[in-house]
């Protein structure tokens, strides 16, 4: 009888221990399941979406910065040079019409040469041509050279985008100034040719 009581007590003790272990395992499993559910629940999905949106915004900002950098580099590389050339073209075209110190000095030199090379016994027509006609022709020649350079520079500025990087349009003000230079160059060149050939403002008659 004593042995049987001991065995029953040991069996009950072992059963209770097994039951406690099973309960502990179930508790651990429930805790693990709860933590897993918390990691994959709506809150975790919302956090992942927020992180993805943040990554997209960062990439968009980086792309915008790169685009702005490309535009600024394009402006420094092409816009500045083309704008300066357009202004130079317009200025040269204006100089071809109004005159410059180069044409003034050249005309004065031609007048002096005519006075030195023309004798006092020469005819009036010869004296007028050597002293005044050659000086005026020289002025027209210098003006024509300025007009030609203005025309060439303006045309180069206008056709430059065709040989540059595609997708980078030329600024409107550059085109306007370049066209102004071309127009002034054409007008100055026509007037210079007309004056040099005595079609316009020819020498007065001495007869």
């Amino acid at each position: 009888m004593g042995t049987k009581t001991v065995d029953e007590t040991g069996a009950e003790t072992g059963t209770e221990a097994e039951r406690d272990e099973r309960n502990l395992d179930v508790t651990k499993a429930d805790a693990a399941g709860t933590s897993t559910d918390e990691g994959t629940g709506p809150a975790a999905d919302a956090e992942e979406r927020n992180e993805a949106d943040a990554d997209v915004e960062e990439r968009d900002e980086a792309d915008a910065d790169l685009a702005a950098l490309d535009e600024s580099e394009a402006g420094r590389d092409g816009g500045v040079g083309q704008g300066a050339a357009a202004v130079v073209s317009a200025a040269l075209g204006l100089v071809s019409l109004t005159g410059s110190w180069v044409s003034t000095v050249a005309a004065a030199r031609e007048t002096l040469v005519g006075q030195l090379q023309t004798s006092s016994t020469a005819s009036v027509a010869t004296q007028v041509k050597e002293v005044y006609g050659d000086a005026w022709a020289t002025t027209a020649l210098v003006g024509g050279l300025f007009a030609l350079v203005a025309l060439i520079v303006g045309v180069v500025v206008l056709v430059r985008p065709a040989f540059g990087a595609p997708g980078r349009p030329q600024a409107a003000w550059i085109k306007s100034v370049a066209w102004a230079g071309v127009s002034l160059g054409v007008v100055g060149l026509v007037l210079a040719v007309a004056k040099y050939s005595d079609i316009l403002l020819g020498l007065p008659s001495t007869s």
Side-chain angles (χ1 to χ4, degrees), residues 65-84 160 168 174:
D65 293 338
L66 290 176
L69 181 60
D70 292 338
E71 291 179 359
S72 62
E73 289 179 353
R76 287 194 298 269
D77 296 340
V80 174
Q82 295 177 22
R160 177 63 179 83
R168 292 180 178 177
I174 296 178

Side-chain angles (χ1 to χ4, degrees), residues 18 36 54 59 85 152:
E18 292 177 356
T36 303
R59 286 195 297 269
I152 294 174

Side-chain angles (χ1 to χ4, degrees), residues 90-127:
L92 291 175
L94 185 61
V95 168
S96 68
L97 296 176
T98 60
S100 64
W101 68 270
V102 177
S103 61
T104 301
V105 172
R109 182 181 182 280
E110 194 64 29
T111 298
L112 179 60
V113 171
Q115 290 175 350
L116 293 175
Q117 292 181 353
T118 304
S119 63
S120 58
T121 58
S123 63
V124 176
T126 301
Q127 292 180 8

Side-chain angles (χ1 to χ4, degrees), residues 129-207:
K129 179 182 180 303
E130 294 294 333
V131 176
Y132 299 102
D134 292 347
W136 295 343
T138 301
T139 301
L141 179 61
V142 174
L145 292 176
F146 275 97
L148 181 61
V149 174
L151 178 61
I152 294 174
V153 173
V155 170
V156 170
V157 173
L158 292 175
V159 302
R160 177 63 179 83
F163 301 96
R168 292 180 178 177
Q170 192 176 54
W173 72 269
I174 296 178
K175 292 182 180 179
S176 300
V177 177
W179 275 114
V182 171
S183 301
L184 291 173
V186 170
V187 173
L189 191 59
V190 170
L191 292 178
V193 172
K195 178 61 191 79
Y196 191 84
S197 58
D198 287 339
I199 297 175
L200 179 67
L201 299 175
L203 291 175
S205 177
T206 58
S207 58

